[in-house]
Coordinates of all heavy atoms in Angstrom, one line a residue:
H7 N 11.9 -10.8 -4.0 CA 10.9 -12.0 -3.7 C 11.8 -13.1 -3.3 O 12.8 -13.0 -3.0 CB 10.2 -12.4 -5.0 CG 9.7 -11.3 -5.8 ND1 9.2 -9.9 -5.2 CD2 9.5 -11.1 -7.0 CE1 8.7 -9.3 -6.2 NE2 8.8 -9.9 -7.4
G8 N 11.0 -13.4 -3.5 CA 11.7 -14.5 -3.1 C 11.1 -15.3 -1.9 O 10.2 -14.7 -1.3
G9 N 11.6 -16.5 -1.6 CA 10.9 -17.3 -0.5 C 11.3 -16.6 0.8 O 12.3 -16.1 1.0
L10 N 10.3 -16.6 1.8 CA 10.5 -16.0 3.1 C 10.1 -17.3 4.1 O 9.4 -18.1 3.8 CB 9.4 -14.9 3.4 CG 9.5 -13.9 2.3 CD1 8.3 -12.8 2.6 CD2 10.9 -13.0 2.6
D11 N 10.8 -17.1 5.2 CA 10.6 -18.1 6.3 C 9.1 -18.3 6.6 O 8.6 -17.3 7.1 CB 11.5 -17.8 7.5 CG 12.9 -17.9 7.3 OD1 13.4 -18.5 6.4 OD2 13.7 -17.2 8.1
G12 N 8.7 -19.4 6.3 CA 7.3 -19.6 6.7 C 6.2 -18.8 5.9 O 5.1 -18.6 6.2
G13 N 6.8 -18.1 4.8 CA 5.9 -17.3 4.1 C 5.6 -16.0 4.6 O 4.7 -15.3 4.3
R14 N 6.2 -15.6 5.8 CA 5.9 -14.4 6.4 C 7.2 -13.4 6.5 O 8.2 -13.9 6.5 CB 5.5 -14.6 7.9 CG 4.4 -15.7 8.1 CD 3.1 -15.2 7.4 NE 2.6 -14.0 7.9 CZ 1.5 -13.4 7.5 NH1 0.9 -14.0 6.4 NH2 1.1 -12.4 7.9
I15 N 6.9 -12.2 6.5 CA 7.9 -11.2 6.6 C 8.0 -10.8 8.1 O 7.1 -10.6 8.8 CB 7.5 -9.9 5.7 CG1 7.5 -10.3 4.3 CG2 8.5 -8.8 6.0 CD1 7.0 -9.2 3.4
P16 N 9.3 -10.8 8.6 CA 9.5 -10.5 10.0 C 9.1 -8.9 10.2 O 9.7 -8.1 9.5 CB 11.0 -10.7 10.2 CG 11.6 -10.6 8.9 CD 10.6 -11.2 8.0
L17 N 8.3 -8.7 11.2 CA 7.8 -7.4 11.7 C 8.3 -7.1 12.9 O 8.3 -8.0 13.8 CB 6.3 -7.2 11.3 CG 5.8 -7.5 10.0 CD1 4.3 -7.5 9.9 CD2 6.3 -6.6 8.9
E256 N -3.5 -3.4 -1.5 CA -2.9 -4.6 -1.3 C -3.0 -5.6 -2.6 O -2.0 -6.2 -2.9 CB -3.5 -5.4 -0.2 CG -2.7 -6.7 0.2 CD -3.2 -7.5 1.3 OE1 -3.9 -6.9 2.3 OE2 -2.9 -8.8 1.5
W259 N -0.6 -4.2 -5.2 CA 0.8 -4.5 -4.8 C 1.1 -5.9 -5.1 O 2.2 -6.4 -5.6 CB 1.2 -4.1 -3.4 CG 1.2 -2.6 -3.2 CD1 0.6 -1.9 -2.3 CD2 2.1 -1.6 -3.8 NE1 0.9 -0.6 -2.4 CE2 1.8 -0.5 -3.3 CE3 3.1 -1.7 -4.9 CZ2 2.5 0.8 -3.8 CZ3 3.6 -0.6 -5.4 CH2 3.3 0.7 -4.8
R260 N 0.2 -6.9 -4.7 CA 0.4 -8.3 -5.0 C 0.6 -8.5 -6.4 O 1.5 -9.3 -6.9 CB -0.7 -9.0 -4.5 CG -0.6 -10.5 -4.5 CD -1.9 -11.2 -4.2 NE -2.9 -11.2 -5.0 CZ -3.0 -11.7 -6.3 NH1 -2.1 -12.6 -6.7 NH2 -4.0 -11.4 -7.1
L263 N 4.0 -7.0 -7.7 CA 5.0 -7.9 -7.4 C 5.1 -9.2 -8.3 O 6.2 -9.5 -8.7 CB 4.8 -8.4 -5.9 CG 5.1 -7.4 -4.7 CD1 4.4 -7.7 -3.4 CD2 6.7 -7.1 -4.7
L281 N 11.6 -2.5 -0.6 CA 11.2 -3.7 0.2 C 12.2 -4.8 0.0 O 12.7 -5.5 0.9 CB 9.8 -4.2 -0.2 CG 9.3 -5.5 0.6 CD1 9.4 -5.3 2.1 CD2 7.9 -5.8 0.0
L285 N 14.7 -6.7 2.7 CA 14.6 -8.2 3.1 C 16.1 -8.8 2.8 O 16.5 -9.6 3.5 CB 13.6 -8.8 2.2 CG 12.1 -8.6 2.4 CD1 11.3 -9.1 1.4 CD2 11.8 -8.9 3.7
F370 N 4.8 -2.4 11.7 CA 5.3 -2.2 10.4 C 6.5 -1.2 10.5 O 7.0 -0.9 9.4 CB 4.2 -1.7 9.5 CG 3.2 -2.8 9.1 CD1 2.1 -2.9 9.8 CD2 3.4 -3.7 8.0 CE1 1.1 -3.7 9.5 CE2 2.4 -4.4 7.6 CZ 1.3 -4.6 8.4
Q402 N 2.0 -0.7 4.5 CA 1.5 -1.8 5.1 C 0.9 -2.8 4.0 O 1.3 -3.9 4.1 CB 0.5 -1.6 6.1 CG 0.8 -0.7 7.3 CD -0.3 -0.3 8.2 OE1 -1.4 -0.9 8.1 NE2 0.1 0.6 9.1
A403 N 0.3 -2.3 3.0 CA -0.4 -3.0 2.0 C 0.7 -3.8 1.1 O 0.5 -4.9 0.7 CB -1.4 -2.3 1.1
L404 N 1.8 -3.1 0.9 CA 3.0 -3.6 0.2 C 3.5 -4.8 0.9 O 3.9 -5.9 0.3 CB 4.1 -2.6 -0.1 CG 5.3 -2.9 -0.8 CD1 5.1 -3.6 -2.2 CD2 6.3 -1.8 -0.7
V405 N 3.7 -4.6 2.3 CA 4.3 -5.7 3.0 C 3.4 -6.9 3.0 O 3.8 -8.1 2.9 CB 4.7 -5.3 4.4 CG1 5.0 -6.4 5.3 CG2 5.8 -4.2 4.4
T406 N 2.1 -6.6 3.3 CA 1.1 -7.8 3.4 C 0.8 -8.5 2.1 O 0.6 -9.7 2.1 CB -0.2 -7.3 4.0 OG1 -0.7 -6.2 3.2 CG2 -0.1 -6.8 5.4
A407 N 1.0 -7.7 1.0 CA 1.0 -8.3 -0.4 C 2.0 -9.3 -0.5 O 1.7 -10.4 -1.1 CB 1.0 -7.2 -1.4
L408 N 3.2 -8.9 -0.2 CA 4.3 -9.8 -0.4 C 4.3 -11.0 0.5 O 4.4 -12.2 0.0 CB 5.7 -9.2 -0.1 CG 6.9 -10.0 -0.4 CD1 6.9 -10.7 -1.6 CD2 8.1 -9.3 -0.2
S409 N 3.7 -10.9 1.8 CA 3.5 -11.9 2.7 C 2.5 -12.9 2.1 O 2.5 -14.1 2.2 CB 3.1 -11.5 4.0 OG 3.0 -12.5 5.0
T410 N 1.3 -12.4 1.6 CA 0.2 -13.2 1.1 C 0.8 -14.0 -0.2 O 0.4 -15.2 -0.2 CB -1.0 -12.2 0.7 OG1 -1.4 -11.6 1.9 CG2 -2.0 -13.1 0.1
L411 N 1.5 -13.3 -1.0 CA 2.0 -13.9 -2.2 C 2.9 -15.2 -1.8 O 2.8 -16.2 -2.4 CB 2.7 -12.9 -3.1 CG 3.2 -13.4 -4.6 CD1 1.9 -13.7 -5.4 CD2 4.0 -12.2 -5.2
A412 N 3.9 -14.9 -0.9 CA 4.7 -16.0 -0.5 C 4.1 -17.1 0.2 O 4.4 -18.2 -0.1 CB 5.8 -15.4 0.4
T413 N 3.0 -16.7 1.0 CA 2.2 -17.8 1.7 C 1.5 -18.8 0.6 O 1.5 -20.0 0.7 CB 1.3 -17.2 2.6 OG1 1.8 -16.5 3.6 CG2 0.3 -18.3 3.2
K414 N 0.9 -18.0 -0.4 CA 0.3 -18.9 -1.4 C 1.2 -19.8 -2.2 O 0.9 -20.9 -2.6 CB -0.4 -17.9 -2.5 CG -1.7 -17.2 -1.9 CD -2.3 -16.3 -3.0 CE -3.6 -15.6 -2.5 NZ -4.2 -14.8 -3.5
E415 N 2.4 -19.2 -2.4 CA 3.4 -20.1 -3.3 C 3.9 -21.2 -2.3 O 4.1 -22.5 -2.9 CB 4.6 -19.2 -3.6 CG 4.1 -18.1 -4.7 CD 5.4 -17.3 -5.1 OE1 6.3 -17.3 -4.3 OE2 5.3 -16.6 -6.0
T416 N 4.0 -21.1 -1.0 CA 4.6 -22.2 -0.2 C 3.6 -23.3 0.1 O 3.8 -24.4 0.4 CB 5.1 -21.7 1.1 OG1 4.0 -20.9 1.8 CG2 6.2 -20.7 1.0
T417 N 2.2 -22.9 -0.1 CA 1.2 -23.8 0.1 C 0.6 -24.4 -1.1 O -0.3 -25.3 -1.2 CB 0.0 -23.1 0.9 OG1 -0.5 -22.2 0.1 CG2 0.5 -22.7 2.2

Side-chain angles (χ1 to χ4, degrees):
H7 313 328
L10 303 173
D11 293 340
R14 306 302 299 177
I15 295 174
L17 302 173
E256 182 177 342
W259 291 122
R260 185 187 66 77
L263 287 162
L281 180 55
L285 295 174
F370 294 89
Q402 297 176 15
L404 173 62
V405 173
T406 54
L408 180 56
S409 182
T410 299
L411 188 62
T413 299
K414 286 183 178 180
E415 291 178 350
T416 57
T417 58

